[in-house]
Amino acid sequence: MIIKRLFKILTPKEKRILYILIFLSLFVALIEAAGVASIAPFVAIVSNPDIIFENKYLYLVYDFYQFKDEKSFLIFSGLLVLSITLISVVLKTINTYSYLKFTRMSEHYIGKRLTELYINQNYIWFVNKNTSELDAKILKEIHNLIYHVIEPIILLFGHIFVVIMI
């Protein structure tokens, strides 16, 4: 119900950006899960280098890249885990920046649209309204919409995706 009402308020461009942010959250969750999942094999290799030859998947990678010894494979594995983690952090930073920018700009544009709607009303409409209530609607209600509906929805999708991926 809330999401339907939210989508009536958002412009087509804002809806498109919201969908992109949700997709970006899914992608970030996938990379985050890969980063978490890559730690266990790396720890296993560090604790027992013979596992490279015992595990068929590790051996496939070892053989495909034609490593000379276990040490070079260990360095490769460590750099791979580090790279995945760094990519995950960078993408999470971009995702956070993007959704914060979206929510702040949405607050501005929804407030602007609501103010324009009020300004275009006739004089009689203003006489019958309490101006402090109008101010409260523009400031407080939009703030609540952004910080208690839109932002939590974006964060919820992101966290759900991470949990599913892990």
Side-chain angles (χ1 to χ4, degrees), residues 120-133:
N120 289 326
Q121 299 299 318
N122 62 33
Y123 179 74
I124 301 298
W125 186 85
F126 278 104
V127 171
N128 295 325
K129 297 289 180 187
N130 182 346
T131 54
S132 63
E133 287 178 14

Side-chain angles (χ1 to χ4, degrees), residues 12-112:
K13 181 181 178 184
E14 291 167 335
K15 290 175 193 174
R16 201 169 37 254
I17 292 170
L18 185 59
Y19 288 133
I20 290 169
L21 287 173
I22 290 170
F23 177 76
L24 182 61
S25 294
L26 175 63
F27 186 68
V28 168
L30 185 67
I31 298 298
E32 250 183 293
V36 170
S38 68
I39 293 171
F42 177 69
V43 170
I45 294 168
V46 169
S47 63
N48 180 15
D50 292 333
I51 201 168
I52 297 167
F53 305 104
E54 296 166 4
N55 183 298
K56 70 177 182 178
Y57 299 111
L58 291 176
Y59 185 72
L60 280 171
V61 174
Y62 182 87
D63 189 47
F64 181 78
Y65 290 108
Q66 300 176 351
F67 288 101
K68 303 288 184 235
D69 58 5
E70 293 89 3
K71 185 178 179 181
S72 58
F73 185 75
L74 181 64
I75 292 170
F76 168 78
S77 300
L79 290 174
L80 184 64
V81 170
L82 181 64
S83 298
I84 292 171
T85 304
L86 288 175
I87 289 169
S88 173
V89 168
V90 168
L91 287 175
K92 192 162 183 85
T93 302
I94 291 169
N95 189 41
T96 301
Y97 171 79
S98 298
Y99 94 75
L100 286 173
K101 182 178 178 184
F102 172 75
T103 55
R104 297 329 178 256
M105 293 308 294
S106 293
E107 183 176 22
H108 169 75
Y109 288 123
I110 292 170
K112 183 179 173 186

